[in-house]
Amino acid sequence: MKEQRVGIIGVGAVPARGVSPDVSYREMIFEAAQKAYEEAGIEPQDVDTFVCLSEDFNEGVSIFDEYVPDQLGAVLKPVHTICGDGLYGIASVFMQLRTGVFQIGVVEAHSKLSNIVIRGEVEEMALEPLCSRWTGFHPYFVAGLEMRRFLFETGFKEEDCAEVVKRMKMNAMFNPLAAHPAKISVDDVLDSKPIATPLKEFDIAPQADGAVVIVLAREDVIRSLKKDAVWIEGISFFTGEPHLDSRDFGKATYAELSAKKALEIAGIKNIRKNVQLIELCDVFSYKALQHIEATGLCKKGESGILLKEGFFDFDGEIPVNLSGGHLGIGSMPEATVLYQVLEVVKQLRGEAGKRQVKNATIGLVQSWRGIPTSSGATLILGV
Amino acid sequence: MKPWRKVAVIGAGLTKFMRRALETGRELSFYAVKEALSSSGLKFKDIQSVVMATAPDAFDGVHMKGEYLADGAGGFKKPYMRSYVGGGSGVFAIIHGWYMVASGMFDTCLVVAEEKMSSCQPHPQGAFNSIYDHTLERPLGVNLLWIFALEMQRYMHVHKISEEEIALVSVKNKKNALDHPSAQVAEEVTVKDVLNSEIMAWPVRRLMVSPTSDGAGAIVLATEHIARRVSEKPVWIEGVGWCLDTSFWTNRDLYYPDYVEKAARMAYEMAGIKEPSKEIHIAEPYDPFAYKELHHMEGLLLCKRGEAPKLTAKGVTQRNGDLPVCPSGGLLGVGNPIAAAGLMKICEIFWQLRGEVGKRQVPGNPKRGVAQAWGDLMQVGTVVVLGI
Amino acid sequence: MKKVEKNTEIRIWKGEISVYYLYTPGIAGEKFFESLKDGKFIASKCSECGKRYIPPRIYCEECLSEIEEYFVVPNSGVVESWSEVYLTADENFLDKPVLIALVKIDETDGKLILKALEKVEIGDRVEIVFEEKREGRISDIKGIRRR
Amino acid sequence: MKVRGKDLKKEEFERVIKIEYHPKLLYAWDAGYAVGKFLSGLKEGKILGIRCRKCDRILVPPRAFCELCFVPLDEWVELKDTGRVNTFSISYISWDVKRLEKPEIPAVIEIDGASEGIGILHLLGEVKPEQVKVGMRVKAVWKKKEERVGAITDILYFKPLEGELK
């Protein structure tokens, strides 16, 4: 019994959108949960443990985990919140199922960012109070400094980052769940408003509202339910350098550490040979390139070149962010990465329609918690 | 269902609990971690993962404060995760650490709990306003004490409990805390003192309420083969349970905490406990308010519903009684840095079972203890059974 | 499931979290900010692994040893990155951007983000200029200038 | 065990360096279908509940799903604006822990027409603190029609029904 595998048996999401004034967060989550349970062929009573992802100030509610059980059918059940992105939630349920005590677990993430009147004020509160908040700037300045350093170390130009934006928004055109699909040019990105140079408005993923629910189960249960699962082959999460004063600004330490560990757990030695599609965090354009390199897909300074050559396109060697990523789906602090997990699940099941990648058996999903953190995770899924 | 792997607590540490600490939250976390590590027999390099528990960001005034606290807690370049169930977080932290290790993903886990409430102005209680429903409750001009007062009233009404019976809890816990080196509000008070203290939100009086505090705690968890190698007295996590009730709290009868009972049943089943009142030798139920200790004893099935006040009056819950309850001094005596206060209860059971608490030691070589915390809108129960 | 059908029926409820904060710098921070008043930079050094922190810390994040050694470091460093910032935290757009730089402080492993008083490039050696009037805040630092 | 930490006395706290910070944490929450309709009802001077066809409970505040049966809800029921005090408090403290001159009386009020035990949080008025009892019958005191905006505060408070104050 000891090394039971864990698999995903149901996913449900509401289409992401810029604003969602017709539904409360509860109603949005209820809809996503109904879809996920239906796909998994279960009722909420069958679920042994629930993990919800949120941060209080994003909700405008302290102790937000109070408000999660009802719309998940989780009243009087084991439920807890993880303050991390969606992959942390999957890691949490994965570990719980592997203790032997639980059989079926659920992860929930959502976003109602449109309900925050001045998001910059909330974001600024994530900065260390005494040495980093003196500026009164939107914390995007941290991304501006990181981007400049990354371009300096890799030799990339702003155009290379703009290429990312163009491609991700184009990918989103084929994802019905994406909130921000568009056909735009590199020049559109380069001409957008400067925010914290070299970071410009279009380099930043626009925010969205949405909700995702994912059902996971242990191998023995999956067998008895006679379900096809997408298996968790490897998962890892790491915090890099938590504070700005000791951080390596050109590097995504968390991504390097978590990708290495997750690949090791999955027994994958050569990512380019063994992984057929990748979803990663592109909440800023340069982050996509930085994360491509951090996962070990290519050497430092190569990602931009390969991207331009179409290596990461739908018909390229290893497609990256066919979902549209954060730039195309929209940025939802905890939830976007679960929309990306949903994409990989659909791809591996062969249900991705027009954007179906052929012969995909292994996919990798990578996440980042956003400014000013240095935390992120890597998940490897397989069939 | 039995877990596939055994997990032990092998080290513990606490800071002082204080109204206003000089130290930052990161520094407090470090103090607790250092103490926990040095008592564990492990070195920092042996720590494979870190768990952080800390209650609302609105206290420290840092958004995503788990990320901010990571370095002081030992999270630098490590798998590090923060879990959160409001006031239940402190006891949930060890459950989180337990599943990290019991999953086989990690052999060791450092569990840290921190709270720096004093940053919050004009008063830390203000942060609690935002726990109510933003549309249907907050506009009424809510304050935190309301929910406790409403629950206490209901509990007293249903079981016909007197104020005197509840005051006894404050008297006992504040006195027990005199022997606790972390204690913030330990004192010798009488039932009369408690009943003469000012009414805050009737039936809640000032001496029935735990203070706001700064503080941190930490414990070290290890899988069986490591625990047996490095620790002379590992304390085993025998059972864990947690449960969250509906957020529609005005649709429930508050006189009884179903969520605590459910969480307790889950933990007892895992621990193989059939008669909790006989098989458990020490209890550390959550006592942010005096009546809460009684309410939670009942939820933990340590006595019948409505019977906890009688046991308290008989002295059963004294340190030298048949069932010592909150021998640490609890939140009422030691203080209430939310998440750290919950972990303090785990530390107490750990030290009691190892016989390391000096004057606080309960007699009779206890073998098994239960710790419990509670949180949210009177909604979440987190329960852990430890044993040797 | 029923949903709102007319946008005239959409309801939004407005509110806020109305608290404010008094942050204190802690043990190491108090030393750092006190020394800023004298126009000096204080760092701390791990006696186990040698890592040097500015702002100082009482612990080493690498090896978690307690740090007791504090020392004065020069008011100089090297630019690791820079940015012209247009957007404020309350989401106003500045007509004239503010130039900031990430500066690795000499004789430490730490970095500070400071205002740049003139144009800088990555790799530039810079000195840190203090305000005339200082009150023990990070804003006592006026900014950086090329050497 | 070494227990560390320096507790600052009030005058020591005055002396240490402090940074004061006032964030603007403003929100505009989407009420959605169920709560939106409830608020509209309040504007009309009505307390609306919602019925679950599966468990037959009539619920207030309304929600778009039954949290126990996990089914969508859409059967609206107009409740009475009277009810019964389930529990109450007499609060002498403001949210920032200042002493109140005149105490507030928050209560959970089970609304007539809703299922047993189903209540809402509100305030009691036109009653002396010592007169309030669990089980007391109460009735909503509404704001004037033109002052109602679709908010829980469209009900000023609940007052005892006649004959309750003997």
Side-chain angles (χ1 to χ4, degrees):
Chain A
M1 282 296 271
K2 280 213 166 159
E3 297 307 332
Q4 284 267 350
R5 293 196 295 170
V6 170
I8 293 174
I9 56 168
V11 289
V14 300
R17 45 196 170 135
V19 295
S20 53
D22 55 330
V23 281
S24 65
Y25 65 90
R26 287 184 188 269
E27 290 157 12
M28 231 164 45
I29 295 168
F30 178 71
E31 184 179 325
Q34 277 199 317
K35 287 184 182 175
Y37 299 162
E38 183 61 24
E39 202 180 273
I42 59 158
E43 299 291 331
Q45 303 86 274
D46 303 328
V47 181
D48 304 305
T49 181
F50 296 81
V51 170
C52 300
L53 301 146
S54 64
E55 296 280 0
D56 284 356
F57 283 131
N58 284 341
E59 311 288 346
V61 176
S62 283
I63 321 189
F64 182 76
D65 81 285
E66 294 165 3
Y67 294 97
V68 295
D70 307 294
Q71 53 272 19
L72 289 168
V75 171
L76 284 172
K77 288 271 201 170
V79 184
H80 74 274
T81 291
I82 292 286
C83 298
D85 66 61
L87 293 191
Y88 280 67
I90 291 193
S92 165
V93 169
F94 172 79
M95 290 188 283
Q96 291 181 57
L97 298 185
R98 291 243 310 201
T99 62
V101 177
F102 309 99
Q103 299 185 327
I104 299 179
V106 158
V107 182
E108 176 274 331
H110 65 277
S111 159
K112 268 284 189 184
L113 287 183
S114 67
N115 291 1
I116 304 175
V117 179
I118 313 170
R119 191 166 162 221
E121 288 278 326
V122 171
E123 298 281 289
E124 192 188 31
M125 285 197 76
L127 296 173
E128 185 280 325
L130 289 128
C131 288
S132 305
R133 280 193 215 167
W134 61 271
T135 62
F137 299 146
H138 193 293
Y140 285 150
F141 75 82
V142 178
L145 292 168
E146 264 193 18
M147 180 169 173
R148 167 115 36 222
R149 184 73 200 177
F150 177 68
L151 297 184
F152 173 79
E153 288 183 12
T154 54
F156 294 147
K157 299 273 178 299
E158 291 178 45
E159 288 84 331
D160 297 303
C161 297
E163 283 283 349
V164 173
V165 183
K166 185 184 95 178
R167 280 156 208 267
M168 298 307 147
K169 287 198 168 281
M170 192 54 169
N171 285 349
M173 300 269 272
F174 303 94
N175 182 359
L177 296 175
H180 300 286
K183 189 174 176 180
I184 56 165
S185 69
V186 166
D187 283 341
D188 291 336
V189 181
L190 294 175
D191 292 344
S192 64
K193 262 205 278 196
I195 300 293
T197 63
L199 190 77
K200 298 166 294 300
E201 194 178 8
F202 283 18
D203 287 308
I204 303 168
Q207 69 185 34
D209 292 353
V212 201
V213 172
I214 296 187
V215 183
L216 296 102
R218 223 165 62 189
E219 191 170 8
D220 49 351
V221 182
I222 294 172
R223 290 240 167 82
S224 68
L225 287 172
K226 298 201 170 50
K227 293 294 278 186
D228 287 327
V230 172
W231 300 101
I232 294 179
E233 304 285 349
I235 188 156
S236 174
F237 51 95
F238 267 90
T239 290
E241 312 93 337
H243 285 271
L244 300 177
D245 56 73
S246 64
R247 184 171 303 169
D248 188 336
F249 268 62
K251 218 163 110 172
T253 308
Y254 52 92
E256 288 179 13
L257 292 169
S258 71
K260 190 167 164 239
K261 185 74 191 173
L263 289 164
E264 183 193 309
I265 293 170
I268 294 173
K269 294 218 170 61
N270 185 340
I271 179 172
R272 268 165 86 156
K273 224 161 96 191
N274 297 318
V275 176
Q276 290 85 36
L277 77 155
I278 291 192
E279 289 282 333
L280 46 73
C281 176
D282 58 347
V283 71
F284 302 111
S285 59
Y286 72 94
K287 274 285 169 193
L289 299 177
Q290 195 180 48
H291 290 151
I292 285 173
E293 296 176 358
T295 53
L297 268 174
C298 62
K299 289 205 193 75
K300 195 158 186 162
E302 284 181 0
S303 58
I305 300 160
L306 290 171
L307 181 94
K308 249 196 240 168
E309 288 170 358
F311 191 89
F312 305 119
D313 287 352
F314 171 65
D315 51 2
E317 210 71 19
I318 303 179
V320 167
N321 287 6
L322 288 181
S323 67
H326 291 243
L327 287 161
I329 297 171
S331 158
M332 300 173 270
E334 292 85 20
T336 305
V337 69
L338 293 187
Y339 279 82
Q340 294 180 291
V341 168
L342 191 145
E343 170 72 18
V344 173
V345 167
K346 299 265 176 204
Q347 289 281 359
L348 296 181
R349 285 187 191 151
E351 297 171 358
K354 260 196 192 167
R355 55 185 202 287
Q356 181 66 50
V357 175
K358 280 194 202 97
N359 304 323
T361 56
I362 300 278
L364 181 147
V365 189
Q366 179 270 341
S367 67
W368 174 48
R369 191 76 188 115
I371 296 174
T373 82
S374 173
S375 291
T378 304
L379 166 70
I380 296 167
L381 294 171
V383 285
Chain B
M1 194 96 68
K2 283 268 170 202
W4 292 330
R5 291 177 188 81
K6 281 180 80 171
V7 182
V9 188
I10 58 170
L14 281 179
T15 67
K16 263 194 211 166
F17 288 1
M18 303 158 270
R19 175 63 185 90
R20 283 178 207 83
L22 167 65
E23 293 83 359
T24 61
R26 293 157 69 191
E27 291 172 340
L28 290 171
S29 302
F30 166 71
Y31 280 169
V33 165
K34 192 178 177 214
E35 191 59 32
L37 274 174
S38 74
S39 66
S40 74
L42 290 180
K43 296 220 161 26
F44 181 55
K45 66 173 172 46
D46 303 320
I47 296 298
Q48 294 178 2
S49 62
V50 182
V51 161
M52 167 58 76
T54 179
D57 290 2
F59 288 138
D60 296 56
V62 181
H63 177 39
M64 304 194 281
K65 77 170 153 164
E67 304 291 332
Y68 158 81
L69 294 166
D71 63 326
F76 181 81
K77 292 191 183 173
K78 287 220 154 75
Y80 169 86
M81 208 191 276
R82 172 189 174 196
S83 53
Y84 188 30
V85 279
S89 298
V91 170
F92 190 78
I94 179 174
I95 300 178
H96 189 184
W98 163 80
Y99 73 63
M100 300 260 283
V101 177
S103 70
M105 284 274 278
F106 305 102
D107 287 332
T108 56
C109 182
L110 178 61
V111 177
V112 190
E114 175 272 3
E115 219 69 60
K116 174 119 181 161
M117 299 170 78
S118 62
S119 307
C120 186
Q121 305 292 329
H123 192 283
Q125 295 286 13
F128 279 119
N129 271 27
S130 49
I131 74 171
Y132 286 89
D133 185 279
H134 41 57
T135 306
L136 299 180
E137 291 170 352
R138 277 190 235 173
L140 297 170
V142 294
N143 81 55
L144 174 74
L145 289 169
W146 285 14
I147 49 168
F148 290 100
L150 293 169
E151 189 178 65
M152 178 170 169
Q153 165 83 276
R154 188 75 196 158
Y155 177 56
M156 290 171 74
H157 173 81
V158 170
H159 294 304
K160 315 232 170 330
I161 296 164
S162 69
E163 280 192 89
E164 284 78 4
E165 288 174 300
I166 286 171
L168 283 169
V169 177
S170 297
V171 174
K172 167 177 71 75
N173 290 4
K174 284 180 175 292
K175 180 160 179 267
N176 281 351
L178 286 167
D179 302 322
H180 199 301
S182 295
Q184 179 184 346
V185 285
E187 56 182 328
E188 193 104 41
V189 291
T190 63
V191 168
K192 214 170 140 202
D193 294 333
V194 178
L195 295 183
N196 285 338
S197 66
E198 61 180 334
I199 295 174
M200 299 182 84
W202 194 86
V204 175
R205 291 173 186 272
R206 191 174 53 79
L207 287 178
M208 296 175 178
V209 185
S210 60
T212 53
S213 317
D214 295 349
I219 53 170
V220 180
L221 303 183
T223 193
E224 187 170 7
H225 71 273
I226 291 186
R228 293 206 191 276
R229 199 180 73 226
V230 303
S231 177
E232 279 176 23
K233 280 190 211 159
V235 171
W236 302 100
I237 300 176
E238 296 186 345
V240 302
W242 68 104
C243 179
L244 184 61
D245 206 341
T246 173
S247 60
F248 298 106
W249 63 278
T250 56
N251 292 176
R252 282 192 268 131
D253 197 331
L254 302 173
Y255 91 100
Y256 185 72
D258 282 316
Y259 44 90
V260 173
E261 181 184 325
K262 276 236 174 188
R265 286 191 186 280
M266 176 176 164
Y268 296 156
E269 192 196 325
M270 204 184 289
I273 294 174
K274 297 209 170 53
E275 284 185 86
S277 60
K278 294 206 180 101
E279 295 174 66
I280 282 168
H281 309 134
I282 320 166
E284 280 279 343
Y286 204 56
D287 61 328
F289 290 71
Y291 79 95
K292 269 292 184 191
E293 172 171 313
L294 308 170
H295 205 227
H296 291 151
M297 281 170 65
E298 295 170 17
L300 285 168
L301 308 170
L302 297 173
C303 58
K304 292 198 192 87
R305 294 186 191 192
E307 197 187 40
K310 315 279 173 297
L311 295 184
T312 305
K314 277 191 217 151
V316 172
T317 60
Q318 297 285 343
R319 249 186 224 147
N320 56 7
D322 284 346
L323 177 64
V325 175
C326 289
S328 64
L331 280 55
L332 288 165
V334 186
N336 188 9
I338 315 271
L343 202 61
M344 179 272 283
K345 292 187 168 286
I346 299 286
C347 292
E348 182 69 12
I349 304 277
F350 172 74
W351 289 320
Q352 287 279 359
L353 298 183
R354 295 193 358 155
E356 291 174 351
V357 278
K359 280 163 89 177
R360 296 204 305 286
Q361 189 67 49
V362 307
N365 298 318
K367 296 275 181 292
R368 197 184 247 162
V370 65
Q372 172 258 338
W374 155 97
D376 295 6
L377 285 168
M378 297 166 291
Q379 204 183 346
V380 70
T382 51
V383 177
V384 171
V385 177
L386 298 178
I388 48 172
Chain C
M1 183 179 152
K2 288 264 262 187
K3 292 205 170 135
V4 175
E5 282 165 3
K6 294 183 187 140
N7 61 5
T8 50
E9 286 172 1
I10 284 172
R11 282 192 178 269
I12 285 166
W13 186 261
K14 290 185 181 172
E16 62 183 313
I17 298 180
S18 54
V19 287
Y20 70 98
Y21 297 95
L22 280 178
Y23 301 109
T24 51
I27 295 176
E30 186 81 12
K31 288 190 174 58
F32 179 68
F33 287 108
E34 281 296 336
S35 75
L36 280 186
K37 283 188 191 165
D38 305 329
K40 274 192 209 140
F41 267 161
I42 293 237
S44 74
K45 182 180 171 184
C46 174
S47 57
E48 288 294 314
C49 72
K51 190 162 172 176
R52 299 154 302 175
Y53 293 90
I54 187 159
R57 301 187 197 182
I58 63 165
Y59 51 84
C60 176
E61 63 182 3
E62 297 264 1
C63 65
L64 225 65
S65 309
E66 185 150 1
I67 297 183
E68 272 146 7
E69 187 184 338
Y70 293 85
F71 60 108
V72 177
V73 295
N75 300 342
S76 59
V78 177
V79 173
E80 287 205 344
S81 187
W82 57 271
S83 177
E84 284 182 314
V85 187
Y86 287 84
L87 192 66
T88 64
D90 52 4
E91 299 187 351
N92 285 313
F93 210 78
L94 302 171
D95 293 332
K96 216 174 145 267
V98 179
L99 185 62
I100 60 164
L102 175 71
V103 183
K104 165 101 182 296
I105 305 298
D106 285 347
E107 295 178 22
T108 75
D109 301 297
K111 295 155 202 193
L112 293 172
I113 296 166
L114 302 169
K115 206 182 270 185
L117 303 172
E118 57 190 7
K119 227 176 143 16
V120 289
E121 287 299 336
I122 292 176
D124 279 355
R125 293 206 42 80
V126 292
E127 68 174 323
I128 287 108
V129 184
F130 288 89
E131 295 282 0
E132 298 262 305
K133 245 190 98 188
R134 296 184 291 266
E135 44 179 1
R137 303 218 179 304
I138 198 74
S139 53
D140 291 353
I141 302 170
K142 194 170 181 188
I144 55 159
R145 235 186 349 234
R146 281 209 305 274
R147 284 200 123 169
Chain D
M1 183 184 68
K2 212 154 98 189
V3 171
R4 298 166 77 179
K6 163 96 180 115
D7 194 7
L8 295 171
K9 292 193 193 74
K10 215 156 183 192
E11 54 283 10
E12 290 172 313
F13 183 69
E14 297 305 321
R15 277 203 304 274
V16 297
I17 288 168
K18 288 177 288 293
I19 305 282
E20 194 170 323
Y21 182 82
H22 292 257
K24 284 177 241 158
L25 299 167
L26 311 177
Y27 300 87
W29 296 284
D30 297 319
Y33 169 69
V35 173
K37 198 155 172 145
F38 180 64
L39 294 177
S40 298
L42 291 171
K43 191 160 188 263
E44 303 300 316
K46 293 176 193 162
I47 301 177
L48 295 179
I50 203 159
R51 180 170 165 267
C52 174
R53 275 185 277 271
K54 208 163 167 189
C55 65
D56 209 32
R57 291 186 307 158
I58 296 174
L59 299 162
V60 66
R63 57 218 70 168
F65 47 83
C66 176
E67 74 278 9
L68 300 181
C69 308
F70 201 68
V71 292
L73 303 184
D74 50 35
E75 194 181 323
W76 291 87
V77 184
E78 190 181 331
L79 308 177
K80 298 218 174 87
D81 70 349
T82 53
R84 188 183 289 276
V85 173
N86 169 287
T87 181
F88 68 94
S89 170
I90 297 154
S91 175
Y92 294 88
I93 299 281
S94 66
W95 67 275
D96 55 350
V97 196
K98 298 218 170 62
R99 207 77 200 151
L100 294 174
E101 288 273 317
K102 186 173 169 253
E104 291 168 330
I105 312 178
V108 174
I109 298 152
E110 295 178 31
I111 303 295
D112 289 340
S115 296
E116 198 191 333
I118 300 294
I120 61 167
L121 176 69
H122 219 293
L123 297 160
L124 300 184
E126 297 183 39
V127 59
K128 292 199 187 98
E130 60 275 15
Q131 293 175 313
V132 185
K133 298 270 178 311
V134 170
M136 177 185 258
R137 307 264 308 130
V138 291
K139 180 174 171 52
V141 176
W142 295 85
K143 275 188 185 165
K144 282 191 225 129
K145 188 163 193 241
E146 58 277 16
E147 287 171 12
R148 294 202 292 259
V149 294
I152 192 67
T153 47
D154 288 349
I155 297 173
L156 289 165
Y157 49 80
F158 284 77
K159 67 169 184 186
L161 277 178
E162 265 173 64
E164 284 293 310
L165 303 177
K166 280 169 263 175

